[in-house]
Amino acid sequence: MGEFDLIARYFKRPVRQAALGVGDDCALLQPAPGTQLAISCDMLVQGRHFFADTDPRQLGHKSLAVNLSDLAACGAKPLAFTLALALPEVKEPWLAAFAQGLFALADAHGCELIGGDTTAGPLNICITVFGEVPVVNGTSLALLRSGARAGDDLYVSGTLGDARLALDAMQGKLTVPDAVLAAARERLQRPTPRVALGLALRGIASAAIDVSDGLIGDLGHILESSRVGATVLADQAVACVAGHAHAAQSTDAAGLHLSQEQWRSLALCGGDDYELLFTAPPSQRAAVAAAARASQTPVRCLGQIEAAAGLRLLDAQGQALPNHYASFDHFA
Ligand code: ADP
Ligand code: MG
């Protein structure tokens, strides 16, 4: 099968909303009047972001999910995406499963594939997504990293550390009971982009980012862009891990015999969570709760934004914890 047959068979579908889709030198998008395009690109490299034997269906899902997560963090509505694909060889069952996982998520978000590039090479998947953000009275409603203010509450959606728990277990660093591992693997391999929450937080959240490199590191980006500091209740973050309320009994019940330090490390620097970390002024507490309900996404308050620069971690008793938690960095 040649390059163009491959594209036609697996990636060309009837155009829906785009002005022009796959098949010409460019695709054409017509943004609605009074909107901005939000654009983001993420690459997944075999051996770096996923194992060679990863289920192609899940890989198709995840490749798009990590990109939709960036749109979610900006409060952008997904419109379309492009797919640049390097494949070592043409394996049709692999391609069929990859396309299935990809399009299932794309269709769930009304996001259409409008173009891409296909080449032979080490397996590499690069997606660019395009989303839409309204501009009201000349002001963009995009959620940015730079909008956090002293006094804002700090929130995170969903659960943290699950993907890292799965990864550590798959690499033999931790022993995790089967039921917990299955749930954690699902979070690693089929993350849920929090698109509905991001849209619901427009006009409510003051700043937002998606947690891809770990809570501490990604919060650091908000603090730096917004020129503020924060206090984080470390054990509030731990309560998110593996979806279990963190209490000695429940963790034992789950069969996870982790030290407090291991729990904190999972929650604070886990990575690959694709949850939304965001800030909002206290006057918006009811609105944040309503946005969480409307988007059916659990949200938890983790602490406060402060004028004093830097990140302070507190334990459940309000005692300061040393912050030696580092986030993921490909070149560190
Ligand atoms: P060009 O060489 O002009 O860039 P290509 O021959 O690479 O065009 O691609 C032909 C058409 O197929 C283009 O419209 C391109 O966007 C599309 N395309 C190529 N690869 C993919 C892919 N993996 N998924 C979707 N569309 C693709
Ligand atoms: Mg090309």
Side-chain angles (χ1 to χ4, degrees), residues 1-23:
M1 169 177 298
E3 176 185 334
F4 300 104
D5 296 331
L6 185 162
I7 296 165
R9 178 162 315 170
Y10 294 105
F11 299 117
K12 187 175 165 81
R13 303 162 97 211
V15 178
R16 295 181 192 179
Q17 295 173 79
L20 185 67
V22 170

Side-chain angles (χ1 to χ4, degrees), residues 75-93:
K77 177 171 161 279
L79 292 179
F81 66 106
T82 61
L83 168 68
L85 195 59
L87 294 170
E89 58 188 323
V90 176
K91 280 196 275 188
E92 290 210 55

